[in-house]
Amino acid sequence: MRQWRFEVFNRPGFSDVHGTSTFEDIQELGINTVEAVQSAKVFLIEGEFDEDFAGRVGRELLTDSVCEEYYIGRSKAPAGLAKATLIEVHLKSGVTDPVAQSVMAAVGDMGVSVDNVRTARKYILLGEITQSQTDTIAKKILSNDCIEDCIIGDEAEPPSPHLKPYELEIVKWPIRELDGDALIALSKEKDLFLNLVEMQTIQKYYQELGREPTDVELESLAQTWSEHCVHKTLKSSVDMELWHGLPAREDTAKMAVPQHIHFDNLLKETVFKATKQLDKKWCISVFADNAGVVEFDEESAVCFKVETHNRPSALDPYGGAATGIGGVIRDPMGTGMGAVPIANTDIFCFGPPDKKLEDIPKGVLHPRRIMKGVVAGVRDYGNRMGIPTVNGAIYFDERYLGNPLVYCGNIGLMDKDKCFKNPQTGNIIIVVGGKTGRDGIHGATFSSGEITHEYETIFSHAVQIGNPITEKKMLDVLVQANKAGLYEAITDCGAGGLSSAVGEMGSELGAEVDLEKVPLKYAGLNYSEIWISEAQERMVIAVKPENVKAIIKIFDDENVESTIIGKFTDDKKLILRYNGQQVCELDMDFLHNGVPKYSRKAVWESPQLAEPSIHEKDSYNDELLQILSSYNVASKEWVIRQYDHEVQGSSVVKPLTGVNNDGPSDAAVIRPKFDSDRGLAISCGMNPLYGDIDPYWMALAGIDEAIRNLICVGGRADRIALLDNFSWGNCAKPETFGPLVRAAQACYDGAMAFEAPFVSGKDSLNNEFACEDGRKISIPSTLLISAISIVDDVNKCVTMDAKKASNLLFIVGETKNELGGSHYYKVKGHIGASVPKVDLRTAPKIAGKICAAIAEGLIAGCHDCSEGGLAVALAEMAFAGGLGIEADLRGLPKSKDCSRIDTQLFSESNSRYVVEVELEKYDAFAKLMLNLPFGQIGKITREKTLVIKTEEGKTVIDMDIDSLKQAWQKPFDW
Amino acid sequence: MKQVRAIVLRAAGINCDMETEHALELAGAKAERVHINRIIEDKNMLDEYQIIVFPGGFSYGDDVAAGKILANQVVHHLREPLEKFIDDGKLVLGICNGFQVLVKTGILPGNGSANHQEEVTITDNDSGKFEDRWVYLAPQTEKCIFIEPGRQIYLPIAHAEGKVVTKDAATLENLKSAGQVAFKYVDKNGNEGDYPINPNGSMESIAGLTDTTGRVMGLMPHPERFVRPSQHPHWTRLRGTRDEGRGTRESDGMTIFNNAVKYIKENL
């Protein structure tokens, strides 16, 4: 068999964008001796064809004859350029190569079938570089060690991808005789992440059975009992020790004796409890399925899920983020009888992008590289799926350096009468979509431990490789199969792979699976790897025997792989076989309910913090510019534009708005059905800085912010559904878990006050990075609140940009002396103590009234006050609208202790809305706001300047809007 | 012609088929989304339709190059029926990835027949990245039936490979003189300019091309994404103004679909 090698270069005169961007990345690394980078595509095609046909493949398929040229064989370094270094980047064997698959099919379309195709990238670096620089470039820029190999020089060929077939060998992991230490050692050695009590519980189970477990049995248990899958920490019983007053009380003095609070099940008694007590009719399925389901209209429902994909993204930012979004898209697809994805959200937390390279701990990628990779991953997967990415946020903090957070969310639309699954005994188990490989093994378990500097090497196998087109094809056929009513249940293969999908679907029934039937990407996988692989783009469905033929035809018609792998039984046992030999027999009840119950200790003691002393100034222009230019506040246009936020044709309020389409929208609104003006508003809220002072108020601020954002665009105040995503440090430490308990208490209080139930949630714990020197960096307590609401008529939506000169500006909501955790303090290097609180009596009233005013068409523009306070909100409204604002703090409703000008300008008090109203609508608006704290604070002008005057008439801010906008856009002008 | 029938092509990775079908239906056509495998199985199928749209998306993941794998499939399996479709006086529209496919098959700017002689290609944006942004488009020809002469329109682009490049200067001149440049990117006042006015670095700001018959058009921007007023990026500023896109002045994207349906009604 001959292997043909094709190399495809850009013709001279046509810009090589990949080479150029690589060159820029090398310069960013601080290597200045590289003068230029040339990139080429490499195709290795194995097949029986002649020179003529090879020429056709090169010319007609692989090359764009206008701007590219190809070589057959290996090109040498360009003549005359003696100082060229050649580096080729190949995928490691077994890693999915979608381009290769497409090329194989395309050569087939040309009439010749080929045996194998591989692709690679080739880089020619021009300039004087040392061996160690070459290695650095290869490792840090050109390749990712988890999935790729670099070949330096022009001689070596990549290793053959052919793997040996697997021969069955049943492996037992004896545990019945082990003592405690040996049990722990086994758990560690096999990456099970099970603790002693869990290992002992399993030991007892096998002692009673009178046999030893097989490897796949222990793997299944480890995976099903992982933190990632069962949330054992959040469901544990908790003894909480509080050294300060109850959250709702104002006193912060330390008590002589701590107060104790006990929870039998933390989640059930906080987040779930609010949902249960509120008992909203429009909540269809909450905390039960892959996503929370709420009513959309008479016929339809929407479901929403947000997941984290932190650890994979730390190792492989591109692949980790791509599979993060790919995975969460499958949650709505696997909710009820399956939803159609209609929107993506993403929220990231990174280390500061300007961090010096030498300050990056070993084993960690530079935050800028992580950010670029993560954005590209979400972009490529989301865009290729044809799902608009409509809402998000990015936060920066030193403590995310070793542990970036990547939250991906997806919303799906489904028929209201198809919100529940009904798998039955006798149903056939079919796996649909991608093939199974060795990728992502131990993803569920490894996401439950801490990250160390060696983690890169140890857990490279946990990285999953995504192929969005496989998922899109699968979605296309599943929609048809769902419409035809051909299956009884569906779920996705997420964390834990088939083990989790089949295990959950069959938990009340029992299941038998023949593992050798599962289609594989390549030979050599053993039965255990097949069962727990987290290879992407796979779903499992339960089909009545009489529907099997019809459903498989739907899949075949569009070249989507589907395979019968087993059936659901009635003996409540999980039976796995390989070539007819039983390799696993577990009781479903033990698998799903056997996990021991935890009890945890938590302690909360307020940090000793004080307000900084800052002199008052005559002008705050500089502070405003600094805040606008701080990474958290600055424009994220560089990111947003890389996402397709308009595919599906549903967009109403886009993430960027205003006269030049570049102002920051508060929330997104989509109109998901072609024949209806009903819309869906989508937002988020998060502020880890407040958590450093008090996570209770951080959580409430997040809830208030997410809700404010929805209200600002026209979302209904009485149809808000919330999602929680806790990302925390090591919760085995009572002082880390205490803040989480406080945040959970706030979730209950906030949900009850706003009558906004939580419908789904997820947690990611143990987000700690262990440095080489043993130092541990824990992330700040980070609670993401995502929110959705209904918009009755999208034609009434409102955006945040200033609309018309002479319109009046109001602020609704009280400004208080609450600069703690503010961006004003942050740019001055302080944290402070007076964290913004939420007045749970007033906040929902304000939200309700603003919502009513928008519905009545009284509001021309509305923007929430959040990071940077009133001054930043006014600046954003002005430059988004291309108009000026003249504001006057005389009308500002404020608390008695809010006398300082900097506090009035930059306090981040919650529940505040800046509202633009036309003159003729003033009376109606004022009437509606009666009895609420509100005041006129100025008007829109033609002047293109932002002027803010104090009560005494002194001008404290006077800036032209172009300078403000420039300051806001500059940090991410990448 | 009583009922105008349109096919919206589906294939792995195409993802703008639903909204394209919707836009055609709004224009009065009966539109159907059909998978390419069905057309390959039954090549006479196209006889029943008068419009075929190659919609946006990432056909086959844009592997090798944008639109390339689908173009290869079309060339090797559907070349004849498509040639006949065009010869019969029917309409072909390619949007974004569909435009890339039409160019990579040679159907555009071709003379109505698919061939491998690439005179024009669409390649990586100069910015090196995918971008979603709104652009103004000025029509450049009177011969293309999809275009409303003299009406500058505003539409979103969303692509990473949209830079139109010709083999040489002569090819470019020929396209211009033959009236095959459909749209150019311009600013609000109708003037050409650099990035972001020309969002991808296309030669002479070319945003779309038509063939010699004027019945085949491809363009990078997405007309199907602006078929009702609330899709305009600052529609909340336009309430009650002429530009809002209500009443007699339809939303800009609809001009293309309306013209297509009208042409079939009047000519076939």
Side-chain angles (χ1 to χ4, degrees):
Chain A
M1 175 100 41
R2 170 142 187 212
Q3 175 171 291
W4 293 86
R5 181 185 179 90
F6 298 86
E7 296 189 358
V8 179
F9 289 86
N10 275 68
R11 281 184 193 279
F14 286 95
S15 68
D16 170 8
V17 296
H18 302 296
T20 310
S21 73
T22 306
F23 177 63
E24 286 166 7
D25 289 342
I26 292 174
Q27 287 190 313
E28 263 176 32
L29 256 190
I31 297 175
N32 300 316
T33 46
V34 174
E35 290 155 25
V37 179
Q38 215 186 340
S39 77
K41 295 182 267 192
V42 178
F43 299 88
L44 301 169
I45 303 181
E46 282 176 38
E48 297 296 346
F49 52 81
D50 60 12
E51 201 90 26
D52 269 2
F53 187 74
R56 279 190 59 205
V57 169
R59 201 165 51 247
E60 294 173 19
L61 180 64
L62 302 180
T63 313
D64 183 320
S65 65
V66 174
C67 53
E68 293 173 332
E69 53 199 5
Y70 68 95
Y71 296 97
I72 291 183
R74 184 182 278 277
S75 68
K76 296 283 173 197
L81 298 165
K83 291 160 202 146
T85 308
L86 268 55
I87 304 178
E88 251 181 52
V89 183
H90 289 261
L91 290 169
K92 286 194 174 148
S93 63
V95 173
T96 311
D97 183 348
V99 180
Q101 291 164 13
S102 290
V103 169
M104 201 138 131
V107 178
D109 284 330
M110 294 173 73
V112 171
S113 78
V114 293
D115 299 290
N116 190 38
V117 178
R118 282 184 292 162
T119 69
R121 285 170 290 130
K122 177 169 177 161
Y123 298 91
I124 302 169
L125 314 180
L126 303 178
E128 200 75 61
I129 48 172
T130 64
Q131 182 62 45
S132 81
Q133 282 175 328
T134 306
D135 288 344
T136 307
I137 292 168
K139 270 219 173 89
K140 298 233 159 176
I141 293 176
L142 301 183
S143 70
N144 185 317
D145 206 31
C146 298
I147 54 168
E148 290 165 328
D149 283 323
C150 276
I151 297 175
I152 297 172
D154 58 2
E155 295 303 325
E157 279 293 335
S160 161
H162 300 291
L163 297 165
K164 275 197 199 137
Y166 168 70
E167 276 170 39
L168 177 65
E169 184 194 346
I170 298 176
V171 178
K172 300 222 164 175
W173 288 345
I175 61 167
R176 282 184 297 170
E177 309 299 325
L178 300 184
D179 64 11
D181 288 347
L183 283 173
I184 286 298
L186 179 71
S187 170
K188 270 220 156 96
E189 185 200 326
K190 305 293 183 193
D191 295 332
L192 300 175
F193 286 92
L194 292 169
N195 66 22
L196 182 61
V197 180
E198 289 159 346
M199 286 300 282
Q200 285 168 334
T201 307
I202 294 170
Q203 185 179 43
K204 193 164 156 263
Y205 175 76
Y206 282 97
Q207 282 165 345
E208 281 167 14
L209 282 182
R211 67 172 176 93
E212 294 294 354
T214 63
D215 52 352
V216 72
E217 287 174 341
L218 278 190
E219 294 271 20
S220 294
L221 285 163
Q223 179 281 122
T224 311
W225 292 8
S226 69
E227 185 65 60
H228 187 97
C229 294
V230 289
H231 307 285
K232 45 201 181 192
T233 301
L234 263 72
K235 289 179 182 165
S236 61
S237 78
V238 181
D239 284 302
M240 171 88 161
E241 198 177 285
L242 268 171
W243 283 94
H244 290 89
L246 278 169
R249 274 171 40 196
E250 290 297 314
D251 73 83
T252 50
K254 185 164 175 173
M255 294 181 284
V257 185
Q259 187 193 351
H260 289 274
I261 307 177
H262 175 82
F263 299 90
D264 278 335
N265 177 322
L266 177 64
L267 214 50
K268 270 197 184 154
E269 289 163 51
T270 54
V271 179
F272 289 178
K273 188 173 155 193
T275 306
K276 215 168 162 192
Q277 287 181 343
L278 289 168
D279 193 24
K280 294 289 181 192
K281 272 211 303 275
W282 44 268
C283 286
I284 296 174
S285 163
V286 290
F287 291 105
D289 209 329
N290 287 315
V293 187
V294 296
E295 185 180 281
F296 178 68
D297 61 14
E298 293 285 295
E299 299 87 36
S300 313
V302 286
C303 59
F304 191 7
K305 178 62 168 284
V306 177
E307 282 265 16
T308 49
H309 224 222
N310 305 336
R311 278 138 231 239
S313 305
L315 289 178
D316 171 17
Y318 181 86
T323 51
I325 189 75
V328 82
I329 289 167
R330 289 193 301 278
D331 278 325
M333 284 170 66
T335 296
M337 294 296 273
V340 177
I342 54 171
N344 290 332
T345 66
D346 56 53
I347 292 87
F348 310 136
C349 301
F350 301 122
D354 55 358
K355 189 91 183 158
K356 283 199 189 115
L357 204 61
E358 53 269 32
D359 297 335
I360 305 292
K362 193 182 165 201
V364 168
L365 299 171
H366 191 276
R368 197 175 157 109
R369 180 164 179 221
I370 294 181
M371 178 166 164
K372 282 186 165 181
V374 164
V375 169
V378 170
R379 172 194 71 201
D380 286 356
Y381 209 107
N383 291 354
R384 278 168 167 70
M385 281 299 290
I387 302 167
T389 299
V390 297
N391 183 255
I394 310 182
Y395 293 85
F396 299 90
D397 190 292
E398 289 279 336
R399 291 165 289 174
Y400 296 120
L401 209 54
N403 230 311
L405 303 182
V406 173
Y407 297 92
C408 294
N410 181 268
I411 298 172
L413 183 71
M414 62 208 297
D415 291 342
K416 233 164 93 180
D417 57 4
K418 288 190 172 174
C419 295
F420 297 94
K421 316 176 199 302
N422 183 24
Q424 303 128 38
T425 297
N427 285 175
I428 304 297
I429 304 171
I430 297 180
V431 58
V432 189
K435 292 185 181 183
T436 298
R438 217 168 251 134
D439 33 342
I441 282 177
H442 287 158
T445 46
F446 112 111
S447 70
S448 310
E450 91 185 1
I451 304 189
T452 75
H453 65 280
E454 293 169 319
Y455 180 86
E456 215 181 332
T457 14
I458 302 173
F459 280 107
S460 63
H461 55 72
V463 172
Q464 305 129 5
I465 317 298
N467 181 0
I469 301 308
T470 304
E471 185 144 310
K472 175 71 170 104
K473 276 164 72 177
M474 175 170 76
L475 170 63
D476 291 349
V477 291
L478 284 172
V479 168
Q480 298 170 43
N482 184 9
K483 212 169 166 188
L486 290 174
Y487 58 80
E488 311 307 308
I490 182 166
T491 197
D492 67 309
C493 287
L498 286 172
S499 162
S500 171
V502 175
E504 275 170 34
M505 206 186 270
S507 62
E508 304 293 318
L509 304 168
E512 323 178 333
V513 175
D514 291 300
L515 290 168
E516 78 283 357
K517 292 189 177 155
V518 176
L520 301 181
K521 291 180 180 177
Y522 39 83
L525 270 74
N526 65 40
Y527 59 84
S528 191
E529 289 172 319
I530 294 171
W531 184 237
I532 62 166
S533 159
E534 293 180 13
Q536 298 291 293
E537 290 97 25
R538 300 175 304 160
M539 307 276 296
V540 168
I541 52 175
V543 181
K544 285 184 177 162
E546 60 267 34
N547 291 332
V548 167
K549 205 173 151 200
I551 202 166
I552 287 184
K553 181 173 186 324
I554 289 180
F555 301 150
D556 286 349
D557 274 351
E558 300 193 6
N559 317 106
V560 173
E561 185 132 25
S562 63
T563 313
I564 296 174
I565 60 166
K567 66 171 192 237
F568 289 112
T569 57
D570 60 359
D571 59 3
K572 302 210 171 155
K573 281 191 188 300
L574 175 67
I575 307 285
L576 302 180
R577 289 182 294 254
Y578 191 92
N579 284 342
Q581 289 211 53
Q582 185 166 306
V583 295
C584 164
E585 178 183 345
L586 275 171
D587 290 299
M588 285 288 189
D589 185 50
F590 181 66
L591 182 62
H592 293 283
N593 306 315
V595 60
K597 202 160 159 42
Y598 288 83
S599 61
R600 296 237 183 215
K601 293 224 176 310
V603 60
W604 169 251
E605 193 174 340
S606 291
Q608 296 301 306
L609 296 165
E611 294 304 312
S613 115
I614 297 173
H615 290 293
E616 284 195 79
K617 293 171 63 181
D618 291 333
S619 163
Y620 287 96
N621 285 345
D622 293 346
E623 283 77 4
L624 176 57
L625 288 174
Q626 274 180 301
I627 297 171
L628 286 169
S629 286
S630 65
Y631 285 124
N632 287 351
V633 175
S635 170
K636 309 296 185 299
E637 183 170 349
W638 180 84
V639 179
I640 295 167
R641 291 226 177 277
Q642 294 190 60
Y643 300 148
D644 192 337
H645 43 263
E646 295 174 282
V647 62
Q648 299 192 4
S650 57
S651 88
V652 174
V653 175
K654 303 180 205 297
L656 294 166
T657 190
V659 67
N660 291 312
N661 307 334
D662 56 7
S665 283
D666 289 304
V669 178
I670 55 170
R671 178 183 177 275
K673 294 168 84 168
F674 289 130
D675 57 357
S676 161
D677 274 331
R678 200 172 179 81
L680 196 67
I682 302 146
S683 73
C684 62
M686 176 154 134
N687 205 324
L689 279 176
Y690 300 163
D692 290 339
I693 305 174
D694 189 338
Y696 177 84
W697 295 112
M698 169 189 80
L700 276 179
I703 293 171
D704 194 78
E705 186 186 6
I707 290 176
R708 283 195 314 267
N709 286 332
L710 291 180
I711 296 297
C712 281
V713 295
R716 266 172 61 172
D718 61 343
R719 283 297 308 274
I720 297 168
L722 301 175
L723 267 66
D724 65 82
N725 281 86
F726 291 87
S727 288
W728 241 254
N730 179 359
C731 287
K733 298 177 188 167
E735 67 276 18
T736 306
F737 194 38
L740 189 148
V741 175
R742 264 182 89 70
Q745 289 176 302
C747 287
Y748 172 78
D749 291 348
M752 291 304 290
F754 284 101
E755 296 199 30
F758 283 89
V759 296
S760 173
K762 196 90 194 187
D763 54 274
S764 163
L765 308 180
N766 293 322
N767 288 290
E768 274 194 357
F769 182 80
C771 302
E772 208 178 359
D773 58 11
R775 206 162 37 98
K776 292 197 176 176
I777 310 173
S778 174
I779 62 158
S781 303
T782 310
L783 172 64
L784 167 68
I785 300 290
S786 305
I788 48 172
S789 186
I790 301 294
V791 175
D792 282 332
D793 177 0
V794 295
N795 297 302
K796 291 191 169 157
C797 283
V798 167
T799 53
M800 51 70 67
D801 47 314
K803 300 293 184 306
K804 204 173 80 193
S806 84
N807 279 356
L808 306 177
L809 270 185
F810 296 86
I811 183 163
V812 185
E814 195 177 48
T815 302
K816 298 171 195 162
N817 183 12
E818 292 179 323
L819 279 170
S822 67
H823 280 71
Y824 174 68
Y825 276 179
K826 189 176 158 80
V827 298
K828 292 191 173 292
H830 303 293
I831 169 101
S834 52
V835 67
K837 296 181 175 158
V838 179
D839 176 346
L840 290 175
R841 275 181 312 115
T842 316
K845 283 187 198 151
I846 297 177
K849 292 290 185 180
I850 300 277
C851 168
I854 290 176
E856 287 175 34
L858 300 176
I859 289 180
C862 187
H863 192 25
D864 89 309
C865 281
S866 53
E867 288 104 332
L870 176 63
V872 166
L874 291 174
E876 288 175 344
M877 288 178 91
F879 62 64
L883 293 165
I885 286 177
E886 234 179 70
D888 170 345
L889 298 172
R890 265 180 307 182
L892 185 73
K894 55 184 186 294
S895 63
K896 286 198 191 85
D897 58 352
C898 186
S899 54
R900 283 175 61 120
I901 301 306
D902 51 359
T903 315
Q904 295 176 12
L905 291 173
F906 302 115
S907 167
E908 297 180 7
S909 293
N910 287 295
S911 320
R912 294 181 304 157
Y913 302 77
V914 182
V915 178
E916 177 185 348
V917 177
E918 289 172 33
L919 262 173
E920 58 271 29
K921 292 183 176 163
Y922 168 77
D923 287 342
F925 173 74
K927 205 171 145 197
L928 203 56
M929 294 302 137
L930 205 68
N931 296 328
L932 289 178
F934 91 105
Q936 188 184 335
I937 51 157
K939 60 173 195 278
I940 314 284
T941 68
R942 242 177 254 294
E943 307 308 319
K944 301 206 181 230
T945 51
L946 171 65
V947 178
I948 305 182
K949 290 182 178 163
T950 65
E951 282 173 284
E952 293 79 33
K954 214 171 70 185
T955 300
V956 282
I957 283 180
D958 185 357
M959 294 285 297
D960 69 279
I961 58 169
D962 291 337
S963 311
L964 292 168
K965 187 167 169 178
Q966 220 178 3
W968 179 70
Q969 289 182 330
K970 205 168 157 263
F972 294 105
D973 185 14
W974 288 2
Chain B
M1 169 68 51
K2 272 200 284 222
Q3 179 66 65
V4 178
R5 293 185 69 188
I7 273 198
V8 178
L9 186 77
R10 287 181 51 232
I14 282 180
N15 61 31
C16 301
D17 46 321
M18 301 274 274
E19 54 269 43
T20 304
E21 176 189 43
H22 175 63
L24 286 159
E25 299 260 340
L26 284 179
K30 183 174 177 341
E32 286 157 67
R33 299 178 301 120
V34 180
H35 196 275
I36 189 166
N37 287 357
R38 303 292 82 70
I39 308 177
I40 292 174
E41 281 163 11
D42 175 14
K43 290 179 182 151
N44 297 325
M45 185 177 188
L46 290 183
D47 293 346
E48 307 296 316
Y49 300 84
Q50 299 84 39
I51 301 174
I52 180 163
V53 184
F54 289 73
F58 292 82
S59 56
Y60 299 98
D62 278 356
D63 295 340
V64 182
K68 187 70 187 185
I69 302 287
L70 180 56
N72 185 71
Q73 205 181 7
V74 167
V75 165
H76 292 285
H77 297 291
L78 293 178
R79 177 189 207 146
E80 281 165 19
L82 265 179
E83 277 173 11
K84 179 169 181 292
F85 194 84
I86 298 166
D87 291 344
D88 287 348
K90 297 175 176 181
L91 306 181
V92 180
L93 176 63
I95 301 168
C96 194
N97 196 235
F99 179 28
Q100 293 160 338
V101 172
L102 292 182
V103 165
K104 285 173 187 178
T105 53
I107 295 172
L108 277 178
N111 48 4
S113 68
N115 60 62
H116 295 303
Q117 297 304 309
E118 286 183 12
E119 297 184 318
V120 176
T121 193
I122 303 179
T123 186
D124 296 321
N125 295 352
D126 279 351
S127 67
K129 59 177 188 277
F130 182 100
E131 280 200 320
D132 177 334
R133 63 166 69 244
W134 282 66
V135 293
Y136 293 95
L137 299 170
Q140 302 294 311
T141 181
E142 308 239 315
K143 75 184 295 179
C144 179
I145 69 93
F146 292 95
I147 295 179
E148 194 163 314
R151 177 167 171 179
Q152 182 171 309
I153 58 175
Y154 192 41
L155 295 177
I157 53 142
H159 62 250
E161 294 178 51
K163 178 181 176 175
V164 177
V165 174
T166 63
K167 189 174 64 181
D168 47 34
T171 310
L172 184 61
E173 280 314 308
N174 289 342
L175 288 176
K176 279 159 64 183
S177 58
Q180 287 187 255
V181 176
F183 287 108
K184 281 189 176 190
Y185 300 108
V186 292
D187 66 11
K188 198 174 180 177
N189 303 316
N191 303 312
E192 287 178 49
D194 295 333
Y195 177 86
I197 297 165
N198 175 352
N200 47 36
S202 276
M203 281 182 172
E204 302 236 0
S205 301
I206 294 173
L209 294 169
T210 183
D211 72 343
T212 51
T213 69
R215 287 180 286 101
V216 179
M217 181 174 82
L219 77 171
M220 287 313 296
H222 287 272
E224 80 283 9
R225 296 187 185 181
F226 187 21
V227 301
R228 52 164 210 279
S230 63
Q231 288 168 322
H232 189 291
H234 42 267
W235 68 275
T236 56
R237 307 180 71 78
L238 303 174
R239 282 190 174 114
T241 69
R242 181 178 174 276
D243 289 332
E244 193 185 2
R246 284 185 206 277
T248 50
R249 189 181 157 92
E250 77 263 65
S251 293
D252 287 353
M254 281 308 297
T255 59
I256 288 168
F257 300 103
N258 285 340
N259 285 335
V261 172
K262 191 168 145 232
Y263 176 86
I264 297 294
K265 280 191 172 154
E266 288 172 0
N267 293 281
L268 280 183

